[in-house]
Amino acid sequence: MPGRKPLKPGPVLVFLAFLVLGASFVFPFLYMFLNAFKSTPEYYKSTFKLPEHYNWANFATMVSQFRIQVNMLNSLFISMSAVLLTTAVGMLAAYVFAKRPFRKSHAVYLVIIFSMFMPNQVTLIPLYFLYSKLGLINTPFAVIICSLAAGIPACIMLLTAYFKGIPDEICEAAILDGCGFFGIIRNVIFPLGKPAIAVNATFVFLRTWNDFLTPLVLLTKRETQTVVVALSALVSRYQSDPPYQMAGLTIATIPAIVMYLFLQKYLVEGVNAGSIK
Amino acid sequence: MTDRKRKELTISLLGIAPAVLVLLVFRAYPIGSVIWNSLTNWDGLFKHDFIGLRNYLRIFRTDYFWKTLANCFIMFINVPIQIVIGLVVSMLLYEKTPGWRFFRSLYYLPQIVSAVIVGYLFAIFFSYDGPVNELLRFAGAPKLAIEWLGRRPTAIGVVITALIWINIGWQGVLMLGGLSSINPSVFESAKMDGANFFQRTFYILLPMIGRVIEYSFIYSVAWTFTGLFPFIYSITNGGPGYDTTTLDFLVYQKAFREDSALGEACALAVILLAIVSVLTLFQRRLSDRANSWSE
């Protein structure tokens, strides 16, 4: 038979290895989702079977009894605010570092980048006491500012690198057209820097949404907590009812997964661009 | 300096002012405060006197500190394992097997889910009545169905498994970036010269992405010191006793769960800070080199 190549075993094995590894990533989430539909007796009797009925009672309980929607809204508000603030503050600084360097500006840049890996455990102790003196414990503001401080260095690193690639001529033309500092940012830097700004916004959103330690310490009242922190209350409250736990975990996971479906291209490329985690 | 230049400089300084201000108040001030408070007998209420290095000396004499530090070093096992698996994954992805984009996205999935959620899933999976034991009983090995999180070796094993599982995708994507920056003609000419898969791997690929591996290694080691809190909190809660407590969890434990030990908690935080700072300095040097090399 001319033109037909024999099937090599190599690629087939690789593909199978991919499938097995892939299954290990899908299975826990699928397990979580499917068991969220079961009753507790059914869960213990047939853990690995598909649910007999797909009833949404457990999810409804999360809303009516645990009021998880309050925590979801808290998470959403805190994450969105962190994204907006980090983008605004980071963009201003990154524009200066990339396009308006002054004497010693590189030194300032390096110090900012160095602060990227300062562990939150260290800064949280004094901040907790500072916030409680100011009466800011149990307010979203406390968490938003912490998230902003933690997010600025990576944001500046990513945006500065990207803004440097914007041609100087465009900025100069904008100046000739009478643009001031903010005019250039609005008409040149923001529109041309959008891809990097989107990558950074995605990272900040996910990191703030998923962050655990900072909101755990700063938000002690259930109705002020983010959903990830509320999960620890949920898991201990429903200790003997795993299906309820699964329903709560599923609800808390869904926003991140939806976001990933839409923005995964940015995320995966962002890892290579700034090596951010 | 002319007036115009001075005005331009002022505008530049105002541009970076918000970022610098936030970092000064919410990063620099707390770090200074932690270092100062580590030298006091602060209990959060009444006592706040300078006591020199006594907190540190007391910590170094306790058993739990050394056990915690030992736990951190045991947890390091996750780093080489996730790097090797990540490297293999990236090499397979690099071959552009059908569906590689899909698999790349799939493997990255755990990274975008909160570490606490992953931790709780592992806790549920390895609980006594959980699916892992269920499988073992079903497979006819009920003796292996043990209380996984109740004993130090298995509990640490479960945590390490979670760490590897969550990071494989990140490693794979990072290494794939390194691989993609190698000129493919290098591989082509090596193939033409008759180099087999293993020769290509060990003589071309590994040396060429060595910097990426170094970078990832240091990053992961630093992460093992600072990023384990949500896993420990959700999987084992540090227990039994201090058996699975890591340094970052211990800082939280001392500062926010045990009252009146704030001076000591600050001293522990400073020790953690010192370790991470050294690693960060290393990492910056390495990533600078990696950047200049990849350009």
Side-chain angles (χ1 to χ4, degrees), chain A residues 100-139:
Chain A
R100 305 170 60 106
F102 50 91
R103 232 160 58 87
K104 300 271 193 248
S105 67
H106 191 63
V108 178
Y109 173 80
L110 287 181
V111 172
I112 290 179
I113 301 304
F114 184 75
S115 78
M116 184 148 56
F117 296 102
M118 294 299 109
N120 285 334
Q121 288 87 344
V122 178
T123 51
L124 258 183
I125 305 173
L127 285 181
Y128 176 82
F129 286 91
L130 180 72
Y131 283 144
S132 50
K133 263 186 213 147
L134 300 174
L136 291 172
I137 300 292
N138 282 321
T139 62

Side-chain angles (χ1 to χ4, degrees), chain A residues 18 100 120 210 260 264 275, chain B residues 8 12 27 105 107 112 215:
Chain A
F18 269 163
R100 305 170 60 106
N120 285 334
N210 290 334
Y260 184 59
Q264 46 114 345
S275 304
Chain B
E8 288 296 306
S12 292
R27 296 256 116 171
S105 300
Y107 297 168
I112 55 113
Y215 169 81

Side-chain angles (χ1 to χ4, degrees), chain B residues 25 67 75 86 117 134 150 173-174 177 191 230 268 272-273 282:
Chain B
V25 177
K67 190 169 204 178
M75 298 288 179
I117 295 177
E134 193 67 25
V173 170
L174 184 73
K191 249 186 202 170
L268 284 166
L272 182 65
L273 183 68
F282 263 113

Side-chain angles (χ1 to χ4, degrees), chain B residues 46-237:
Chain B
F46 313 110
K47 287 190 278 185
H48 210 158
D49 312 309
F50 182 78
I51 56 165
L53 294 174
R54 249 176 270 169
N55 282 328
Y56 293 92
L57 295 176
R58 191 184 317 131
I59 287 170
F60 291 145
R61 275 200 300 269
T62 59
D63 290 336
Y64 65 76
F65 173 72
W66 296 109
K67 190 169 204 178
T68 301
L69 210 58
N71 286 339
C72 283
F73 280 97
I74 296 171
M75 298 288 179
F76 285 159
I77 298 172
N78 90 78
V79 177
I81 298 179
Q82 54 161 289
I83 288 181
V84 169
I85 300 180
L87 193 61
V88 172
V89 166
S90 72
M91 281 155 59
L92 297 182
L93 291 172
Y94 186 73
E95 300 284 326
K96 305 257 191 299
T97 319
W100 70 278
R101 274 173 204 280
F102 169 75
F103 286 116
R104 183 182 65 173
S105 300
L106 185 60
Y107 297 168
Y108 197 74
L109 183 67
Q111 281 286 316
I112 55 113
V113 175
S114 175
V116 191
I117 295 177
V118 171
Y120 279 129
L121 279 179
F122 269 80
I124 291 170
F125 268 70
F126 284 93
S127 68
Y128 190 70
D129 296 321
V132 170
N133 279 350
E134 193 67 25
L135 264 184
L136 287 171
R137 290 191 196 102
F138 180 76
K143 274 192 185 149
L144 286 177
I146 53 170
E147 189 75 80
W148 293 93
L149 302 174
R151 297 180 319 156
R152 191 180 186 205
T154 49
I156 289 183
V158 170
V159 174
I160 290 176
T161 310
L163 300 180
I164 295 169
W165 184 80
I166 203 170
N167 278 322
I168 287 176
W170 181 76
Q171 296 284 3
V173 170
L174 184 73
M175 308 260 176
L176 183 63
L179 287 180
S180 310
S181 63
I182 301 175
N183 191 338
S185 63
V186 177
F187 285 107
E188 292 305 321
S189 55
K191 249 186 202 170
M192 301 255 251
D193 292 344
N196 65 29
F197 178 77
F198 290 99
Q199 288 169 328
R200 292 201 303 273
T201 303
F202 284 100
Y203 294 110
I204 302 177
L205 194 145
L206 286 182
M208 289 196 86
I209 67 162
R211 299 271 163 75
V212 181
I213 296 177
E214 273 180 348
Y215 169 81
S216 148
F217 182 81
I218 305 248
Y219 190 105
S220 305
V221 169
W223 183 80
T224 307
F225 267 110
T226 60
L228 260 50
F229 176 79
F231 296 96
I232 305 293
Y233 186 98
S234 54
I235 300 179
T236 65
N237 219 341

